[in-house]
Structures are given as C-alpha cells and as structure tokens.
Amino acid sequence: MSVATLATFGRVWPSTLRSRIAIILLLGLAIAYGLSFSVLYAERMMSAKAVMLGTLESDVATSIAVLDRLPADQRADLTDPLSRGNYRFVLGPGLPGVPDHSTRGGEIAATISDAIGHRFPIRMEAIPGDVTRLQAHLTLTDGTPLTIDITPRGIMPLAGWLPYVFVVQMLLIVLLTWLAVRQATRPLADLAAAADALDPNKKGEVMSDSGPSEVAHAARAFNAMRDRIAHYLEERVQILAAISHDLQTPITRMRLRADMADESPERTKLLHDIGEIERLVQDGIAYARSSHGNGEKLSRIDLASFIESLCYDYQDTGKPVSILGLVSGTASTKPHALRRILSNFIDNALKFGGAAEVSVERREEGAIAITVMDRGPGIPGDQIEAAMQPFFRLEQSRNRETGGSGLGLAIAQQLTAAIGGTMRLYNRDGGGLAAELVIH
C-alpha cells in the first residue's frame, strides 16, 4: 500500500473510537448478513436445479418409453397428459432454434440421455426470446421426431414480505451496534472527563466504579491515582512549610548578629541578603497555608469600599495605582484572601509595568470580575499557564531586584480556589498584562 493511499485512508477513517467501532461492527455484520443471504440464494438455486433435473430424470424417461411403445396414431393423445409445468412433449421437429452449448443445456441433455439409457441421440437447441427456452430433439424407434420443449425454472420466487423483514433486521443491527458502541465507549468518555476535571487541590467527586468489572477496575485505579497525587502534593507542601518554618530561627539569629555588627558595606549587603531570605521563607509559609484552603470564613463586604481602601493604601505610599471603574453592592467572600490576591496582582503590575489599573464590573448571573492591568512586557502566550505554577519565574524576573520566589501567582491561584472564584491571565491589546479574578 502506497504512502498516498495510506494518507487518503487516514483522512477518510474517522478519528473517534466510537465511529471506528461502529463502522467496524456495521461492516462486519453487513458482510456476514450478505454472505448468509448469498448462501441462501445459492442454495435455493441448487435446490430448484436439483428438483428440475430430478423431475426430468424420473418422469421424462418413463414418458419417452411410453411414447416409443405406443402406435403412432395414439401418441398425440398422451403428449399433453405426459407434459409438466416446466416441460412438454411435441411430436415433430419443434420450433426453429440455434444450437445450445450452455452449461444448463448440457446438464439437461446429459440427464435425459442417462435416464433413457443413451438409446436415442439428443440434440439441444435454444429458442430465441425474452424467456429462456430450450428444446431437446430426438428420434423415436420408428423414425418419428420428438421434441421436448423445456422452460427451465429459476429459483423459487421471494415472498413479498421478505424486503420488510430485511429492513427491520438492518435497523435492529444498527440499534444494537449503537448500544454496544455506547456501552463500550461511555466509560472512556467518563474517564476522560474525570481526567480533565482532575484537580488534586480540590475535593472532587469520586469516579463511580459501577458497571462491568473492567470499567470498575479502571475507575478504582483512577481514584487511587488521584488520591496518591493529592497525597504527594500534600507532602510537598508540608515539606516546604516545615523547611520555611525551621529557617525562621536561624534567620532571626543571623539578623541579630548582623544588627550587632559595626556599620560597613558588608553589613549592609548581609542585611539585604537576609531580607531576601526572609521574604522567600514568608512566601513559602504563605503558599503552604493557602494550599490548605485558607481557614478564613466567608463574610459580606462592600465591594466598592474594599477596592478603594486597597488602592488608597498603595496611593498613600506613592504607588501609581488607579481605579478605572467600580460597581456598587456587596459580595460574599473571604476578605483577607481577596486582599492577598489583589495585592499580588497589583504588586506584579507595579513591578513589571510601573503602574497598575484596577477595574471592577458585574457580569451575567451576578458574577463580579476584578481586573488588574498594566502596560508592562506581558507574558509570552505559551508561558501563561506555566506562570501560575509554583516556583516558575519568567526570564526577565530572574534577578535579585525584581525577581521573586515564583510563588506569588501560585498563592493567588490557590486562594482564588478557596474563595470559589476563577482566575486567568491574558495579554492586553497594545501591550501589557491583565490579571482577572471572577467572584461567582
């Protein structure tokens, strides 16, 4: 098979497992049904042929013997009684025809010749016309020509209701094929949906293990895998929290010793390094706490006042943070978690864009979208998802002045899940990044 043929087949062959199984089953059943029908048709033809040749062999031999023994003036009275539905006797040369060399004619001639013991030579001719018609010519003992006019029977006619039965059978095959394919592929679709919805940081629904044993085994294996992933992530967070917590004591001792040292450029650098280590440790502890869902309870806040208070705090320290739009009303959320999320967005906007713009709008079904925008370099499209992963830092942030721990957006994402919201990052038209938080 050529490469071009394989490529054409690949384009025609459906991509979904459901379609492939359905086509294979339908083609297999249709071919099997067609073979059965062909075998039945051939068997009917063979039966009709056997009946016809058997009749010729048993009856024609007796009839020819009777006609041969009768006086010539009495033969005409018996030609009709000796005739049958598919053949009749005619005294004389019969109708003009052409020599027949067909297989059917040869079988008929051989059957008649064997039945009469090869006493009379037989010559077969075909009579032209719309209907297949053969004549066997022979000469009786007294020289009288005798013609056997034969109309070979085809297969027995099909019943009128048979096409309807065939249609019903095909519909039944299609229905059963659809049910079989659905039964086979639905667990795969459920497994794919569960895999897409898998989030070890959330307590999701356990995949049902009902159904056939193979499906139940796959569901149990998937549930066990999800539990193992969640356990591994929990261990990772616990290790991070333990390390971060244990580092606080030696860091404090280092700071005390540095504070007690004499003023010098080296002391200043050391205090700067200790400050960076403290920030890394604090971010690690914050990430560990956020991964446990934040123990803060929901409360109702005035959204406009909350956003204004947050932005005014930045403005009081001289940070260029502006409000583009607000909405009135209240929202049920976790205030401290919300402040931490928005503070992270604003800090990143200030760090990479130099200024931050905060916009609040109300969307369908009461959802509130809070967006923090900047005009910085943005994030490459293929790195937006990775930017929200723990310890991920973009290339332009890998320095001591602007770089962070790589946990800020990961903390924001976990706190967003804790307050029941959704978060996304996208690049703005004209340059810059937008960090959007939607509270449902």
Side-chain angles (χ1 to χ4, degrees):
M1 185 178 293
S2 64
V3 177
T5 304
L6 290 174
T8 303
F9 179 77
R11 288 193 296 267
V12 175
W13 188 243
S15 59
T16 62
L17 180 62
R18 177 177 299 181
S19 301
R20 292 181 179 184
I21 295 178
I23 289 176
I24 291 172
L25 286 177
L26 283 176
L27 286 178
L29 291 173
I31 292 173
Y33 195 76
L35 289 175
S36 299
F37 186 81
S38 300
V39 170
L40 177 63
Y41 188 85
E43 192 275 335
R44 289 170 69 94
M45 288 190 64
M46 293 173 62
S47 299
K49 176 181 173 182
V51 169
M52 181 186 69
L53 295 178
T55 301
L56 289 174
E57 187 175 6
S58 59
D59 294 347
V60 171
T62 304
S63 300
I64 292 176
V66 170
L67 291 174
D68 186 57
R69 287 181 172 81
L70 284 175
D73 58 349
Q74 297 180 10
R75 291 171 180 165
D77 296 333
L78 287 179
T79 53
D80 288 340
L82 293 176
S83 299
R84 296 291 183 267
N86 61 331
Y87 67 89
R88 64 189 183 90
F89 292 97
V90 178
L91 294 174
L95 298 176
V98 296
D100 180 70
H101 302 290
S102 65
T103 303
R104 177 180 292 184
E107 291 177 346
I108 293 175
T111 300
I112 297 176
S113 180
D114 291 341
I116 61 178
H118 305 283
R119 290 187 301 150
F120 308 107
I122 297 176
R123 177 172 50 87
M124 295 296 299
E125 288 185 348
I127 307 301
D130 297 334
V131 180
T132 301
R133 188 176 176 185
L134 301 175
Q135 287 190 346
H137 302 282
L138 55 91
T139 303
L140 298 178
T141 305
D142 61 356
T144 303
L146 177 65
T147 300
I148 308 174
D149 194 317
I150 304 170
T151 305
R153 287 182 180 178
I155 63 172
M156 291 176 283
L158 298 176
W161 46 263
L162 192 59
Y164 300 101
V165 174
F166 177 77
V167 171
V168 171
Q169 288 177 329
M170 291 305 299
L171 291 176
L172 183 61
I173 288 175
V174 171
L175 176 61
L176 293 178
T177 300
W178 178 81
L179 290 175
V181 170
R182 183 172 180 270
Q183 185 72 16
T185 58
R186 185 172 60 178
L188 293 178
D190 294 341
L191 183 60
D196 289 336
L198 177 63
D199 187 352
N201 295 318
K202 296 181 181 179
K203 185 66 175 178
E205 294 184 1
V206 176
M207 187 175 178
S208 174
D209 59 357
S210 60
S213 59
E214 297 83 358
V215 174
H217 178 70
R220 288 192 294 269
F222 179 83
N223 292 331
M225 179 194 69
R226 185 181 62 178
D227 293 339
R228 286 195 299 270
I229 293 174
H231 178 68
Y232 295 152
L233 292 178
E234 179 69 17
E235 283 187 345
R236 186 187 68 173
V237 171
Q238 289 178 356
I239 292 172
L240 175 63
I243 294 175
S244 300
H245 183 271
D246 292 343
L247 283 175
Q248 286 182 313
T249 300
I251 290 173
T252 302
R253 291 199 300 265
M254 291 170 61
R255 176 171 287 281
L256 289 174
R257 291 169 181 167
D259 289 338
M260 294 172 61
D262 297 333
E263 290 288 341
S264 67
E266 295 300 326
R267 175 180 178 275
T268 303
K269 293 179 181 179
L270 179 60
L271 288 174
H272 184 271
D273 290 340
I274 292 174
E276 284 193 356
I277 296 174
E278 285 180 329
R279 285 193 297 272
L280 291 172
V281 170
Q282 290 170 2
D283 285 345
I285 294 175
Y287 177 75
R289 288 175 178 172
S290 66
S291 67
H292 291 284
N294 188 279
E296 185 182 2
K297 294 183 179 180
L298 290 173
S299 61
R300 189 165 292 277
I301 62 172
D302 183 275
L303 195 59
S305 299
F306 182 87
I307 299 298
E308 287 178 341
S309 173
L310 177 63
C311 293
Y312 290 159
D313 289 342
Y314 278 95
Q315 293 172 3
D316 289 342
T317 59
K319 303 292 180 60
V321 178
S322 59
I323 302 175
L324 298 184
L326 288 173
V327 295
S328 59
T330 61
S332 180
T333 185
K334 298 178 179 181
H336 294 295
L338 179 60
R339 179 177 290 272
R340 180 64 185 268
I341 296 169
L342 297 180
S343 296
N344 180 278
F345 289 169
I346 294 173
D347 290 341
N348 284 339
L350 293 173
K351 183 185 300 182
F352 301 111
E357 299 172 336
V358 182
S359 172
V360 185
E361 61 178 348
R362 193 177 296 275
R363 295 183 177 175
E364 297 179 357
E365 300 180 357
I368 298 172
I370 306 173
T371 308
V372 178
M373 299 167 286
D374 63 58
R375 285 299 180 184
I379 299 177
D382 58 347
Q383 297 186 31
I384 288 181
E385 290 295 328
M388 292 186 285
Q389 299 300 317
F391 305 107
F392 179 86
R393 294 188 297 176
L394 295 172
E395 186 64 31
Q396 60 264 29
S397 70
R398 295 174 186 257
N399 61 76
R400 299 173 69 90
E401 297 299 326
T402 62
S405 62
L407 290 173
L409 290 175
I411 293 173
Q413 187 177 41
Q414 292 190 145
L415 291 176
T416 298
I419 66 176
T422 57
M423 164 187 161
R424 74 180 180 113
L425 304 177
Y426 61 92
N427 290 308
R428 300 176 64 187
D429 294 335
L433 184 71
E436 179 186 84
L437 169 67
V438 179
I439 304 174
H440 300 283

